[in-house]
Amino acid sequence: MKLPASFYKPLSIGAPSPFQELPLALERMIHFFPAHNEKVHAKIPDLIPQVDVILGNLEDAIPADAKEAARAGFIKVARENEFGNTGLWTRVNALNSPWALDDIVEIVSAVGDKLDVIMLPKVEGVWDIHYADQLLAQLEAKHGVKKPILIHAILETAQGVKNVNEIAAASPRMHGMSLGPADLAASRGMKTTRVGGGHPSYGVIEDPKEDGSSRIFAQQDLWHYTVARMVDACLSNGIRPFYGPFGDIQDTDACEVQFRNSFLLGCVGAWSLHPVQIDIAKKVFSPDVDEVKFALRILEAMPDGTGAVMLDGKMQDDATWKQAKVIVDLAKRVAERDPELGKAYGL
Ligand code: GLV
Ligand code: MG
């Protein structure tokens, strides 16, 4: 077993030291672009200021014969743009694919200093993280990368879910995790062809009525269990949980509901696969104005965070002070990026 004292040591001589705490960043949406598509490259400068994170996708949805073009396209986009406080990520191919090694080696060699996070698909256990961790450290050392490149795992196999706690704790290079509902459904043998969201047949029905009238059936959230497990694994290890993709681009209402369920359960963001989902994520993952105002009143009413007070008939104590702080801290981060919303929050 690795000694606790070695946990934060660089894995290669000359690689940057791992972060002991993740840098604070607002990451309400991870906006995916197909990295092989030159028409999309032209739109990147306009997209950058609109999103919190921009991600060049090299994995699923990129045809096998465009994998190399996607890798080269991502490098070109990274070189030709300035990203300011927008995060630059890439989703590389899975480690068991023929492309993953070249994806990581070529991208870190070319643009390692600009890259914030590598999203790693189909992570099944700590072995995947340890492999990528070591390889990244070697490449950082070789190319003089100054800031550690973080790893974001996609939780999208039954085995990955079984090992979620160990994955979250595997390395100080871990940034967080996203739910991958499409691959996960397939891996688990779930009977849905949807990418995230509910299913009309998955729900509960009320008890039979005496008069025989029709019974209410309500859809339930297929992803509640997995998202909740992922949130506990992430937060107990100081890393960030994200809801992943929502595939029905036209069903903006359902997308908003799915994103909001995950936000309320603890997630900090979701993927946007289409520009229409950027605004949904912005709306959902920025705290509600009234909620922020009430949270500010709680903090004001309990300056040292202890004791008990009543606000609008609701009991507040040390625990609700902490709940309020979660919301106000997030609101402050949102306000830095979005001064209009900051004003509405009264910050
Ligand atoms: C995402 O990668 C998914 O499989 O849902
Ligand atoms: Mg997937």
Side-chain angles (χ1 to χ4, degrees):
M1 200 188 84
K2 189 182 255 191
L3 295 173
S6 302
F7 191 67
Y8 289 107
K9 285 197 182 136
L11 293 184
S12 184
I13 297 163
S17 294
F19 292 121
Q20 301 220 358
E21 254 179 62
L22 283 181
L24 276 184
L26 188 64
E27 294 167 332
R28 294 167 296 181
M29 79 297 295
I30 303 164
H31 187 71
F32 273 52
F33 72 92
H36 64 303
N37 186 327
E38 283 176 17
K39 266 198 220 143
V40 173
H41 293 179
K43 296 183 185 153
I44 301 288
D46 287 340
L47 266 174
I48 291 171
Q50 290 179 50
V51 300
D52 297 341
V53 173
I54 191 148
L55 175 147
N57 183 26
L58 312 187
E59 200 224 9
D60 291 355
I62 308 302
D65 62 3
K67 292 292 187 188
E68 275 155 32
R71 190 187 299 144
F74 177 76
I75 291 171
K76 184 165 173 281
V77 165
R79 282 200 171 124
E80 289 180 355
N81 291 279
E82 285 311 319
F83 295 87
N85 56 3
T86 296
L88 176 65
W89 298 21
T90 182
R91 178 169 80 165
V92 295
N93 287 286
L95 292 177
N96 64 358
S97 76
W99 306 291
L101 179 64
D102 288 344
D103 287 347
I104 299 174
V105 170
E106 289 183 24
I107 286 174
V108 177
S109 310
V111 291
D113 262 328
K114 284 186 127 173
L115 184 67
D116 294 299
V117 176
I118 283 191
M119 183 182 273
L120 211 52
K122 301 173 180 66
V123 171
E124 306 232 76
V126 292
W127 49 91
D128 293 320
I129 305 300
H130 290 163
Y131 170 81
D133 197 6
Q134 186 69 63
L135 178 59
L136 284 169
Q138 290 170 331
L139 292 168
E140 286 167 347
K142 180 169 176 194
H143 298 287
V145 174
K146 300 280 177 306
K147 182 169 70 73
I149 297 164
L150 298 177
I151 297 174
H152 182 101
I154 313 181
L155 192 62
E156 54 182 352
T157 66
Q159 199 180 11
V161 176
K162 192 182 83 181
N163 292 328
V164 66
N165 292 323
E166 292 76 13
I167 294 168
S171 160
R173 202 187 281 279
M174 284 300 294
H175 162 277
M177 251 179 244
S178 289
L179 174 76
D183 270 302
L184 183 55
S187 166
R188 279 178 172 162
M190 291 167 73
K191 310 303 180 293
T192 169
T193 53
R194 299 173 174 212
V195 178
H199 189 285
S201 304
Y202 185 80
V204 289
I205 189 164
E206 74 178 324
D207 285 353
K209 308 269 190 57
E210 271 177 20
D211 63 3
S213 61
S214 65
R215 297 150 68 181
I216 294 172
F217 174 86
Q219 271 185 239
Q220 301 288 298
D221 185 353
L222 271 175
W223 304 104
H224 179 270
Y225 156 79
T226 317
V227 170
R229 270 198 76 178
M230 179 179 72
V231 167
D232 282 343
C234 287
L235 272 289
S236 61
N237 285 289
I239 68 170
R240 300 194 187 127
F242 291 69
Y243 177 78
F246 190 88
D248 190 342
I249 306 297
Q250 288 180 345
D251 194 351
T252 50
D253 289 342
C255 176
E256 183 171 334
V257 167
Q258 182 76 74
F259 282 8
R260 185 164 293 109
N261 284 352
S262 74
F263 175 68
L264 290 170
L265 278 178
C267 290
V268 300
W271 302 1
S272 49
L273 303 179
H274 183 278
V276 76
Q277 295 182 339
I278 296 173
D279 285 337
I280 301 175
K282 233 177 237 181
K283 177 172 162 197
V284 170
F285 292 99
S286 307
D288 178 69
V289 171
D290 289 338
E291 194 87 78
V292 173
K293 288 193 166 154
F294 191 65
L296 282 166
R297 283 177 60 204
I298 298 174
L299 297 189
E300 237 172 59
M302 298 175 59
D304 72 353
T306 68
V309 296
M310 294 294 280
L311 279 185
D312 301 346
K314 300 185 184 80
M315 187 277 301
Q316 310 300 328
D317 68 1
D318 309 43
T320 60
W321 185 91
K322 290 177 198 152
Q323 289 175 279
K325 191 153 179 334
V326 167
I327 290 173
V328 171
D329 285 350
L330 174 59
K332 284 183 181 157
R333 234 173 297 151
V334 172
E336 277 169 25
R337 180 121 194 162
D338 185 343
E340 281 293 299
L341 203 47
K343 247 189 250 157
Y345 289 151
L347 291 169

Coordinates of all heavy atoms in Angstrom, one line a residue, residues 209-264:
K209 N -58.3 2.3 -6.3 CA -59.4 3.1 -5.7 C -60.6 2.2 -5.5 O -60.9 1.3 -6.3 CB -59.8 4.2 -6.7 CG -58.6 5.1 -7.2 CD -58.4 6.2 -6.2 CE -57.5 7.3 -6.8 NZ -57.8 7.8 -8.1
E210 N -61.4 2.5 -4.4 CA -62.6 1.7 -4.2 C -63.6 1.8 -5.3 O -64.3 0.8 -5.6 CB -63.2 2.1 -2.8 CG -62.6 1.4 -1.7 CD -63.2 1.8 -0.3 OE1 -64.2 2.4 -0.3 OE2 -62.5 1.5 0.7
D211 N -63.7 3.0 -5.9 CA -64.7 3.2 -6.9 C -64.1 2.7 -8.3 O -64.8 2.9 -9.3 CB -65.1 4.7 -7.0 CG -63.9 5.6 -7.4 OD1 -62.8 5.1 -7.6 OD2 -64.1 6.8 -7.4
G212 N -62.9 2.1 -8.3 CA -62.4 1.6 -9.5 C -61.9 2.6 -10.5 O -61.6 2.3 -11.7
S213 N -61.9 3.9 -10.1 CA -61.4 4.9 -11.0 C -59.9 4.8 -11.3 O -59.2 4.1 -10.6 CB -61.7 6.3 -10.5 OG -61.1 6.5 -9.3
S214 N -59.5 5.5 -12.4 CA -58.1 5.3 -12.8 C -57.1 5.8 -11.8 O -57.4 6.7 -11.1 CB -57.9 5.9 -14.2 OG -58.0 7.3 -14.0
R215 N -56.0 5.1 -11.7 CA -55.0 5.4 -10.7 C -53.9 6.2 -11.3 O -53.5 6.1 -12.5 CB -54.4 4.0 -10.2 CG -55.5 3.2 -9.5 CD -55.2 1.7 -9.7 NE -54.0 1.3 -9.0 CZ -53.5 0.1 -8.9 NH1 -54.1 -0.9 -9.6 NH2 -52.5 -0.2 -8.2
I216 N -53.4 7.1 -10.5 CA -52.3 8.0 -11.0 C -51.0 7.2 -11.0 O -50.6 6.5 -10.1 CB -52.1 9.2 -10.0 CG1 -53.3 10.1 -10.1 CG2 -50.9 10.0 -10.4 CD1 -53.4 11.2 -9.1
F217 N -50.3 7.3 -12.2 CA -49.0 6.7 -12.3 C -48.0 7.9 -12.5 O -48.2 8.8 -13.2 CB -48.9 5.9 -13.6 CG -47.6 5.4 -13.9 CD1 -47.1 4.2 -13.4 CD2 -46.7 6.1 -14.8 CE1 -45.8 3.7 -13.7 CE2 -45.4 5.6 -15.1 CZ -45.0 4.4 -14.5
A218 N -46.9 7.9 -11.7 CA -45.9 9.0 -11.8 C -44.6 8.4 -12.2 O -44.1 7.5 -11.5 CB -45.9 9.8 -10.5
Q219 N -44.0 9.0 -13.2 CA -42.6 8.6 -13.5 C -41.6 8.9 -12.4 O -41.8 9.9 -11.7 CB -42.1 9.4 -14.8 CG -42.5 8.7 -16.0 CD -41.9 9.4 -17.3 OE1 -42.7 9.8 -18.1 NE2 -40.6 9.6 -17.3
Q220 N -40.6 8.0 -12.2 CA -39.6 8.3 -11.2 C -38.3 8.5 -11.9 O -38.1 8.2 -13.1 CB -39.5 7.0 -10.3 CG -40.8 6.7 -9.6 CD -41.1 7.7 -8.5 OE1 -40.3 7.8 -7.6 NE2 -42.2 8.3 -8.6
D221 N -37.3 9.0 -11.2 CA -36.0 9.3 -11.7 C -35.1 8.0 -11.8 O -34.7 7.5 -10.7 CB -35.3 10.4 -10.9 CG -34.0 10.8 -11.4 OD1 -33.5 10.2 -12.4 OD2 -33.5 11.8 -10.9
L222 N -34.9 7.5 -13.0 CA -34.0 6.3 -13.1 C -32.6 6.5 -12.6 O -31.9 5.5 -12.3 CB -33.9 6.0 -14.6 CG -34.9 5.2 -15.4 CD1 -34.5 5.2 -16.9 CD2 -34.9 3.8 -14.9
W223 N -32.2 7.7 -12.4 CA -30.7 8.0 -12.1 C -30.5 8.4 -10.7 O -29.4 8.7 -10.3 CB -30.2 9.0 -13.1 CG -30.4 8.5 -14.5 CD1 -31.4 8.9 -15.4 CD2 -29.8 7.4 -15.1 NE1 -31.3 8.1 -16.5 CE2 -30.4 7.2 -16.4 CE3 -28.7 6.5 -14.7 CZ2 -29.9 6.2 -17.2 CZ3 -28.3 5.5 -15.6 CH2 -28.9 5.3 -16.8
H224 N -31.6 8.4 -9.9 CA -31.4 8.9 -8.5 C -30.4 8.2 -7.7 O -29.5 8.8 -7.1 CB -32.8 8.8 -7.8 CG -32.8 9.3 -6.4 ND1 -32.5 8.5 -5.4 CD2 -33.0 10.5 -5.9 CE1 -32.6 9.2 -4.3 NE2 -32.8 10.4 -4.6
Y225 N -30.5 6.8 -7.8 CA -29.5 6.0 -6.9 C -28.1 6.3 -7.3 O -27.2 6.5 -6.5 CB -29.9 4.5 -7.1 CG -28.8 3.6 -6.8 CD1 -28.4 3.2 -5.5 CD2 -28.1 3.0 -7.9 CE1 -27.4 2.3 -5.3 CE2 -27.0 2.1 -7.6 CZ -26.7 1.8 -6.4 OH -25.6 0.9 -6.1
T226 N -27.8 6.3 -8.6 CA -26.4 6.4 -9.1 C -25.9 7.8 -8.8 O -24.8 8.0 -8.3 CB -26.3 6.1 -10.6 OG1 -27.1 5.0 -10.9 CG2 -24.9 5.9 -11.0
V227 N -26.7 8.8 -9.1 CA -26.3 10.2 -8.8 C -26.0 10.4 -7.3 O -24.9 10.9 -7.0 CB -27.3 11.2 -9.3 CG1 -26.9 12.6 -8.9 CG2 -27.4 11.2 -10.9
A228 N -26.9 9.9 -6.5 CA -26.7 10.0 -5.0 C -25.4 9.3 -4.6 O -24.6 9.9 -3.8 CB -27.9 9.5 -4.3
R229 N -25.1 8.1 -5.1 CA -23.9 7.4 -4.7 C -22.7 8.2 -5.2 O -21.6 8.3 -4.5 CB -23.8 6.0 -5.4 CG -24.5 5.0 -4.6 CD -24.0 3.6 -5.1 NE -22.7 3.3 -4.6 CZ -22.1 2.1 -4.9 NH1 -22.7 1.2 -5.6 NH2 -20.8 1.9 -4.5
M230 N -22.8 8.7 -6.4 CA -21.6 9.5 -7.0 C -21.4 10.7 -6.2 O -20.2 11.1 -5.9 CB -22.0 9.8 -8.4 CG -20.9 10.6 -9.1 SD -21.4 11.0 -10.9 CE -22.7 12.2 -10.6
V231 N -22.4 11.4 -5.7 CA -22.3 12.6 -4.9 C -21.6 12.3 -3.6 O -20.6 13.0 -3.2 CB -23.6 13.3 -4.7 CG1 -23.5 14.4 -3.6 CG2 -24.2 13.9 -6.0
D232 N -22.0 11.2 -3.0 CA -21.3 10.9 -1.7 C -19.9 10.5 -1.9 O -19.0 10.9 -1.1 CB -22.0 9.7 -1.0 CG -23.3 10.1 -0.3 OD1 -23.5 11.4 -0.1 OD2 -24.2 9.3 0.0
A233 N -19.6 9.7 -3.0 CA -18.2 9.3 -3.2 C -17.3 10.6 -3.5 O -16.2 10.7 -3.0 CB -18.1 8.4 -4.4
C234 N -17.9 11.5 -4.3 CA -17.1 12.7 -4.6 C -16.9 13.6 -3.4 O -15.8 14.0 -3.1 CB -17.8 13.5 -5.8 SG -17.7 12.6 -7.4
L235 N -18.0 14.0 -2.8 CA -17.9 15.0 -1.7 C -17.1 14.5 -0.5 O -16.4 15.3 0.1 CB -19.3 15.5 -1.3 CG -19.9 16.7 -2.1 CD1 -19.1 17.9 -1.8 CD2 -19.9 16.5 -3.6
S236 N -17.2 13.2 -0.3 CA -16.4 12.7 0.8 C -14.9 12.6 0.5 O -14.1 12.4 1.4 CB -16.9 11.3 1.2 OG -16.7 10.4 0.2
N237 N -14.6 12.9 -0.8 CA -13.1 12.9 -1.2 C -12.7 14.3 -1.7 O -11.7 14.4 -2.4 CB -12.9 11.8 -2.3 CG -12.8 10.5 -1.6 OD1 -11.9 10.2 -0.9 ND2 -13.8 9.7 -1.8
G238 N -13.6 15.3 -1.5 CA -13.2 16.7 -1.9 C -13.2 16.9 -3.4 O -12.4 17.7 -3.9
I239 N -13.9 16.0 -4.2 CA -13.9 16.2 -5.7 C -15.4 16.5 -6.1 O -16.3 16.5 -5.3 CB -13.3 15.1 -6.4 CG1 -14.1 13.8 -6.3 CG2 -11.9 14.8 -5.9 CD1 -13.6 12.7 -7.2
R240 N -15.6 16.8 -7.4 CA -16.9 17.3 -7.9 C -17.7 16.4 -8.7 O -17.2 15.8 -9.7 CB -16.6 18.6 -8.7 CG -15.9 19.6 -7.9 CD -15.9 20.9 -8.6 NE -15.0 21.8 -7.8 CZ -14.0 22.5 -8.3 NH1 -13.8 22.5 -9.6 NH2 -13.3 23.2 -7.5
P241 N -19.0 16.2 -8.3 CA -19.9 15.4 -9.1 C -20.7 16.2 -10.1 O -21.1 17.3 -9.9 CB -20.9 14.9 -8.0 CG -20.9 16.0 -7.0 CD -19.6 16.7 -7.1
F242 N -20.9 15.6 -11.3 CA -21.6 16.2 -12.4 C -22.7 15.2 -12.9 O -22.3 14.1 -13.1 CB -20.7 16.6 -13.6 CG -19.7 17.7 -13.3 CD1 -18.7 17.5 -12.4 CD2 -19.9 18.9 -13.9 CE1 -17.8 18.5 -12.1 CE2 -19.0 19.9 -13.7 CZ -17.9 19.7 -12.8
Y243 N -23.9 15.7 -13.2 CA -24.7 15.0 -14.1 C -24.1 15.0 -15.5 O -23.4 16.0 -15.8 CB -26.2 15.6 -14.1 CG -27.0 14.8 -15.1 CD1 -27.5 13.6 -14.7 CD2 -27.2 15.2 -16.4 CE1 -28.3 12.8 -15.6 CE2 -27.9 14.5 -17.3 CZ -28.4 13.3 -16.9 OH -29.1 12.5 -17.8
G244 N -24.3 14.0 -16.3 CA -23.6 14.0 -17.6 C -24.5 14.5 -18.7 O -25.0 15.6 -18.6
P245 N -24.7 13.7 -19.8 CA -25.4 14.2 -21.0 C -26.9 13.9 -20.9 O -27.4 13.0 -20.2 CB -24.9 13.3 -22.1 CG -24.5 12.0 -21.4 CD -24.1 12.4 -20.0
F246 N -27.7 14.8 -21.5 CA -29.1 14.6 -21.7 C -29.4 14.6 -23.2 O -29.2 15.6 -23.9 CB -29.9 15.7 -21.0 CG -31.4 15.4 -21.0 CD1 -31.9 14.6 -20.0 CD2 -32.2 15.8 -22.1 CE1 -33.3 14.3 -20.0 CE2 -33.6 15.5 -22.0 CZ -34.1 14.7 -21.0
G247 N -29.7 13.4 -23.8 CA -29.7 13.2 -25.2 C -30.8 13.8 -26.0 O -30.7 14.1 -27.2
D248 N -32.0 14.0 -25.4 CA -33.1 14.6 -26.2 C -33.0 16.1 -26.2 O -33.6 16.8 -25.3 CB -34.4 14.1 -25.5 CG -35.6 14.4 -26.4 OD1 -35.5 15.3 -27.3 OD2 -36.7 13.8 -26.2
I249 N -32.3 16.6 -27.2 CA -32.0 18.0 -27.3 C -33.3 18.8 -27.4 O -33.4 19.9 -26.8 CB -31.2 18.3 -28.6 CG1 -29.9 17.4 -28.6 CG2 -30.8 19.8 -28.6 CD1 -28.9 17.6 -27.5
Q250 N -34.4 18.3 -28.0 CA -35.6 19.1 -28.2 C -36.4 19.1 -26.9 O -37.2 20.1 -26.7 CB -36.5 18.4 -29.3 CG -35.8 18.7 -30.6 CD -36.6 18.1 -31.8 OE1 -37.5 17.3 -31.5 NE2 -36.3 18.5 -33.0
D251 N -36.2 18.2 -26.0 CA -37.0 18.2 -24.8 C -36.3 19.0 -23.7 O -35.8 18.5 -22.8 CB -37.3 16.7 -24.3 CG -38.4 16.7 -23.3 OD1 -38.8 17.8 -22.8 OD2 -38.8 15.6 -22.9
T252 N -36.4 20.3 -23.9 CA -35.7 21.2 -23.0 C -36.3 21.1 -21.6 O -35.6 21.3 -20.6 CB -35.7 22.6 -23.5 OG1 -37.0 23.0 -23.8 CG2 -34.8 22.8 -24.7
D253 N -37.6 20.9 -21.5 CA -38.2 20.8 -20.1 C -37.7 19.6 -19.3 O -37.3 19.8 -18.2 CB -39.8 20.6 -20.2 CG -40.4 21.9 -20.8 OD1 -39.8 23.0 -20.7 OD2 -41.6 21.8 -21.2
A254 N -37.6 18.5 -20.0 CA -37.1 17.3 -19.3 C -35.6 17.4 -19.0 O -35.2 17.0 -17.9 CB -37.3 16.0 -20.2
C255 N -34.9 18.1 -19.9 CA -33.5 18.3 -19.6 C -33.3 19.2 -18.3 O -32.5 18.9 -17.4 CB -32.8 19.0 -20.8 SG -31.1 19.5 -20.6
E256 N -34.1 20.2 -18.3 CA -34.1 21.1 -17.1 C -34.4 20.4 -15.8 O -33.7 20.5 -14.8 CB -35.0 22.3 -17.3 CG -34.9 23.3 -16.2 CD -35.7 24.6 -16.4 OE1 -35.9 25.0 -17.6 OE2 -36.1 25.2 -15.4
V257 N -35.4 19.5 -15.9 CA -35.8 18.7 -14.7 C -34.7 17.8 -14.2 O -34.3 17.7 -13.1 CB -37.1 18.0 -14.9 CG1 -37.4 17.0 -13.8 CG2 -38.3 19.0 -15.0
Q258 N -34.1 17.1 -15.2 CA -33.0 16.2 -14.9 C -31.8 16.9 -14.3 O -31.2 16.5 -13.3 CB -32.6 15.4 -16.1 CG -31.5 14.3 -15.9 CD -32.0 13.1 -15.2 OE1 -32.7 12.3 -15.8 NE2 -31.7 12.9 -13.9
F259 N -31.4 18.0 -14.9 CA -30.3 18.8 -14.4 C -30.6 19.3 -13.0 O -29.8 19.2 -12.1 CB -30.1 20.0 -15.3 CG -29.3 19.8 -16.6 CD1 -29.1 18.5 -17.1 CD2 -28.9 20.9 -17.4 CE1 -28.4 18.3 -18.3 CE2 -28.2 20.7 -18.6 CZ -28.0 19.4 -19.0
R260 N -31.9 19.7 -12.8 CA -32.2 20.3 -11.5 C -32.2 19.2 -10.4 O -31.7 19.5 -9.3 CB -33.5 21.1 -11.5 CG -33.8 21.7 -10.2 CD -34.9 22.8 -10.2 NE -34.5 24.0 -11.0 CZ -35.0 24.3 -12.2 NH1 -35.9 23.6 -12.7 NH2 -34.6 25.4 -12.8
N261 N -32.7 18.0 -10.7 CA -32.6 17.0 -9.7 C -31.2 16.7 -9.3 O -30.9 16.6 -8.1 CB -33.2 15.6 -10.3 CG -34.7 15.7 -10.4 OD1 -35.4 16.6 -9.9 ND2 -35.3 14.7 -11.0
S262 N -30.3 16.7 -10.2 CA -28.9 16.5 -9.9 C -28.3 17.6 -9.1 O -27.5 17.4 -8.2 CB -28.1 16.2 -11.1 OG -27.8 17.3 -11.9
F263 N -28.7 18.9 -9.4 CA -28.2 20.0 -8.7 C -28.7 20.0 -7.3 O -27.9 20.2 -6.3 CB -28.8 21.3 -9.4 CG -28.5 22.6 -8.7 CD1 -27.2 23.1 -8.6 CD2 -29.5 23.3 -8.1 CE1 -26.9 24.3 -8.0 CE2 -29.2 24.6 -7.5 CZ -27.9 25.0 -7.4
L264 N -30.0 19.6 -7.1 CA -30.5 19.6 -5.7 C -29.8 18.5 -4.9 O -29.6 18.6 -3.7 CB -32.0 19.4 -5.7 CG -32.8 20.6 -6.2 CD1 -34.2 20.3 -6.4 CD2 -32.6 21.8 -5.2

